[in-house]
């Protein structure tokens, strides 16, 4: 590929394309109802998500051997469950709860938005989720990607450079011909430092209310969008340098 | 996953799903016409394909460092081109010819056959091609897979066990819950030795005429099929042991 055009668009998944908080709380609530346990399931979802980054950090620093996200989520769940009235679960029950992350729904408009963009760009995920998790989410939401790229392929978690550079290389592209779309400033900063283009996709309700969402990193990303229509329009104007 | 049911179907790509011989010969012929060169382009395609396995063997034995299929095909092309009247090509011309492998068409019925099977099974490739090559073939043929798994992900070429076991693991499945579909007995034998189920998909014209095709390895695979309808029917009867 010559020139600066955008050829491929990578998407972060949790928070950017799917509503992990609503879905995890719903799955935990259903399990709690069956067991006759009441708890603040949104708070459980938040606590579980809060354990996500530190658990990956331990793998990134080499304190834990490589393990995929399902395995990390299992460890975090076992630690958290007793605090929410769920002690002494057996392996099948634990598995069922962790599998709740495989049953998350996309935000409205994601399916059709991807369909539209896929006419002009190669679309792939770039997620810290493992492959089987991404397959289940894509099948559930009827989300069509050209490829599912994830931490498990590179055996590195974002924001390790191996993920951004590995994804670009496997797409056969220079990083400048690839855009990462995410609702998280840190992910985008790391991608930009490796030469990728970046788009911040605002998801004000990812953490339940807008004041808890990641603020748009204006000036640090190529552009900021709030929906797929805006994303398509911005992508169509590339390359024009930093505009946000 | 408990039990013996089939959850995922892996497909070999070159020869099994796409017609490499017809496509490569067509692409080379177009290039030859522009350059005013006449040659037996089917013979060039056959010679290029004949170099494919030995070149991967050199990587498998460690005589060559890891390189993806596009890179191996480039090396083989540079060796073969002068024999077919194409000496002294520049990098852009070489790239264009090697990229011909990205413009192969599926055999008739593949698109709809995958569509049908994807209702009941997770579908993925398991190919020695690199990811960008598989993406281009899937886009061109409108072939929908749930994931593209390939040598580049595992940094091993089939028939290395890492490919069959790695694919099963990334799908979150035991090998016995995964079927490999291929037109090549050696690939299927290697998969079976790692515990996968196997289906031989006859492609009598892969090498131009039926007597050159790989004979059906009856008794060594779970079943032998000649089209997607038969494949769907056989998969639906699993598990019943070896039947071919």
């Amino acid at each position: 590929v010559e020139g600066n055009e955008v050829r491929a668009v990578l998407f972060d998944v949790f928070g950017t394309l799917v509503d992990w908080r609503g879905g995890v709380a719903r799955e935990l609530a259903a399990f709690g109802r069956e067991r006759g346990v009441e708890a603040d399931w949104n708070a459980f979802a938040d606590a579980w998500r809060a354990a996500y980054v530190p658990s990956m950090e331990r793998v990134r620093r080499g304190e834990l051997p490589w393990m995929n996200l399902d395995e990390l989520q299992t460890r975090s769940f076992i630690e958290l469950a007793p605090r929410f009235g769920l002690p002494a679960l057996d392996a099948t029950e634990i598995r069922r709860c962790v599998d709740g992350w495989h049953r998350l729904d996309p935000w409205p408009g994601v399916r059709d938005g991807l369909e539209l963009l896929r006419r002009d760009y190669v679309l792939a995920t770039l997620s810290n989720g493992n492959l089987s998790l991404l397959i289940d989410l894509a099948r559930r939401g009827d989300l069509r990607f050209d490829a599912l790229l994830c931490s498990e392929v590179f055996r590195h978690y974002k924001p390790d450079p191996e993920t951004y550079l590995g994804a670009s290389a496997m797409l056969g592209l220079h990083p400048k011909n690839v855009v990462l779309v995410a609702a998280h400033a840190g992910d985008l900063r790391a991608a930009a430092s490796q030469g990728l283009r970046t788009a911040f996709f605002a998801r004000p309700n990812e953490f339940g209310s807008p004041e808890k969402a990641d603020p748009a990193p204006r000036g640090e990303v190529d552009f900021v969008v709030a929906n797929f229509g805006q994303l398509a329009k911005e992508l169509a104007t590339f390359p024009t340098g930093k505009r946000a």
Side-chain angles (χ1 to χ4, degrees), chain A:
Chain A
V1 177
E2 306 294 323
N4 286 317
E5 69 271 33
V6 170
R7 298 289 295 273
V9 185
L10 298 174
F11 287 89
D12 173 60
V13 172
F14 296 100
T16 302
L17 297 185
V18 304
D19 172 17
W20 57 265
R21 189 175 190 262
V24 169
R26 178 198 67 218
E27 292 287 327
L28 290 173
F31 183 70
R33 261 195 310 278
E34 287 174 32
R35 305 260 307 189
V37 175
E38 284 189 35
D40 181 344
W41 304 115
N42 282 321
F44 195 157
D46 289 336
W48 206 350
R49 176 62 167 74
Y52 176 105
V53 172
S55 72
M56 290 187 297
E57 288 295 326
R58 295 190 61 197
V59 174
R60 293 182 62 226
R61 286 194 303 261
E63 292 171 25
L64 286 176
W66 170 258
M67 57 181 78
N68 74 21
L69 189 63
D70 273 349
E71 295 169 307
L72 289 175
Q73 301 280 45
T74 302
R75 291 170 65 102
S76 306
F77 177 80
I78 290 168
E79 255 185 65
L80 291 169
R83 287 202 244 154
F84 290 86
L86 296 170
L89 300 179
D90 68 24
T92 305
E93 293 170 309
I94 292 168
R95 174 72 187 262
R96 177 188 155 176
C97 291
V98 174
D99 274 356
W101 287 84
H102 292 236
R103 294 184 291 270
L104 307 180
D105 293 312
W107 298 110
V110 169
R111 183 196 169 285
D112 294 346
L114 293 173
E115 202 72 19
L116 180 79
L117 287 178
R118 213 176 68 84
R119 294 181 204 161
D120 296 317
Y121 308 99
V122 167
L123 303 189
T125 59
L126 184 61
S127 170
N128 279 332
N130 41 290
L131 190 74
S132 71
L133 174 48
L134 298 177
I135 288 173
D136 287 343
L137 296 175
R139 284 181 70 97
R140 182 179 175 94
D142 193 27
L143 310 181
R144 187 164 184 179
F145 297 97
D146 294 299
L148 300 178
L149 293 170
C150 61
S151 56
E152 202 172 33
V153 167
F154 307 111
R155 293 178 83 88
H156 279 274
Y157 283 107
K158 294 190 292 183
D160 282 353
E162 287 83 352
T163 57
Y164 309 106
L165 297 178
S168 303
M170 276 203 195
L171 295 172
L173 297 173
H174 189 280
K176 74 183 173 187
N177 301 117
V178 178
V179 178
L180 176 68
V181 179
H184 312 120
D187 193 5
L188 296 169
R189 265 184 219 113
S193 77
Q194 301 305 320
L196 284 78
R197 311 276 181 156
T198 53
F200 182 84
F201 199 129
R203 289 298 189 190
N205 294 315
E206 175 180 1
F207 295 93
S209 63
E211 65 274 13
K212 291 183 188 155
D214 231 4
R218 294 186 186 278
E220 297 183 76
V221 295
D222 288 292
F223 48 84
V224 173
V225 299
N227 57 57
F228 271 88
Q230 288 176 12
L231 178 58
K233 201 176 287 180
E234 293 284 2
L235 287 170
T237 64
F238 256 103
T240 61
K242 305 270 180 187
R243 274 171 294 108

